Amino acid sequence: MEKIRKECETCTLCPLHLSRTNVVFGRGNERAKLLFVGEAPGAKEDLAGKPFVGASGKLLEATLREVGIGEDEYYIANILKCRPPENRDPRPEEVFACTPYLERQIAKMRPSLVVCLGRIAAAHLIKKDFRITAEHGEVFEKDGQKILAVFHPAAILRDVRKKGEFLADFEKIRQILAEEK
Ligand code: URA
């Protein structure tokens, strides 16, 4: 993983390298069975060089605590490793340039469950036309790995009415992990 990180940290494959403060490669337990994949770093992540350190990350961590998934039980990374200006959606050419890093992270980790945080990650990793409202929590199988998507934590911060479904999906994640042990 360190080799991939080193390469990624000097990456100039797309214009986002010009505006980044730090590359946001990933954090957590590289040997975990559970991998979360978000969209792209925000302002706080760009400054810290770590994914999900802002408000979305706090909500994610609180939810994980609520269902009893410990800090050492997962790894977390994003589709894009550099922050898009003004937090706009990733552009297709940025996703194209950047996702080989994520694919190598997945190949190295070989998690038993991949959880997409939000539609953008699900559209890339599950299927192009993924509908997050209708299909969150549904388990798909890809290359022998289980994969599902949950709402992006930022969506829960915007609309707290989604919290119940979000929590139910995390209960399911915990259950799948227990079955994999
Ligand atoms: N949102 C994301 O999708 N990723 C982060 O790292 C932070 C916020």
Side-chain angles (χ1 to χ4, degrees), residues 24 38-42 45 50-53 56 78 117 152:
V24 177
E39 181 178 323
E45 290 77 19
K50 287 189 181 144
F52 284 92
V53 293
S56 288
N78 284 307
L117 297 167
H152 194 289

Side-chain angles (χ1 to χ4, degrees), residues 21-180:
T21 313
N22 286 295
V23 168
V24 177
F25 182 73
R27 68 173 166 91
N29 180 0
E30 292 162 13
R31 289 180 188 82
K33 291 191 168 74
L34 173 61
L35 169 67
F36 287 102
V37 180
E39 181 178 323
K44 290 221 165 80
E45 290 77 19
D46 173 66
L47 285 177
K50 287 189 181 144
F52 284 92
V53 293
S56 288
K58 298 269 174 302
L59 175 65
L60 175 66
E61 278 164 17
T63 309
L64 287 165
R65 269 197 301 277
E66 214 168 324
V67 300
I69 297 175
E71 259 177 60
D72 61 339
E73 290 187 86
Y74 65 92
Y75 189 81
I76 186 161
N78 284 307
I79 293 281
L80 292 192
K81 309 303 194 213
C82 295
R83 183 191 179 207
E86 316 302 327
N87 301 340
R88 62 158 169 73
D89 281 356
R91 293 188 174 142
E93 63 273 21
E94 294 159 357
V95 174
F96 180 80
C98 202
T99 44
Y101 292 117
L102 178 66
E103 275 145 31
R104 287 165 67 192
Q105 284 173 302
I106 295 175
K108 186 82 198 131
M109 248 190 98
R110 301 204 304 117
S112 32
L113 177 64
V114 177
V115 175
C116 304
L117 297 167
R119 185 187 58 81
I120 303 270
H124 182 73
L125 292 173
I126 302 177
K127 55 180 175 172
K128 253 203 195 112
D129 59 350
F130 191 89
R131 294 163 304 142
I132 191 77
T133 305
E135 296 179 294
H136 69 86
E138 206 175 301
V139 182
F140 296 80
E141 191 98 18
K142 206 186 144 193
D143 307 326
Q145 265 158 353
K146 289 194 170 79
I147 181 162
L148 64 81
V150 301
F151 287 120
H152 194 289
I156 312 304
L157 293 173
R158 283 194 300 270
D159 179 6
V160 75
R161 289 169 301 179
K162 293 190 170 87
K163 179 76 207 257
E165 287 170 88
F166 189 66
L167 193 57
D169 288 345
F170 276 79
E171 296 281 4
K172 189 168 195 170
I173 292 165
R174 195 207 33 192
Q175 208 177 317
I176 295 171
L177 282 185
E179 285 162 11
E180 294 294 326

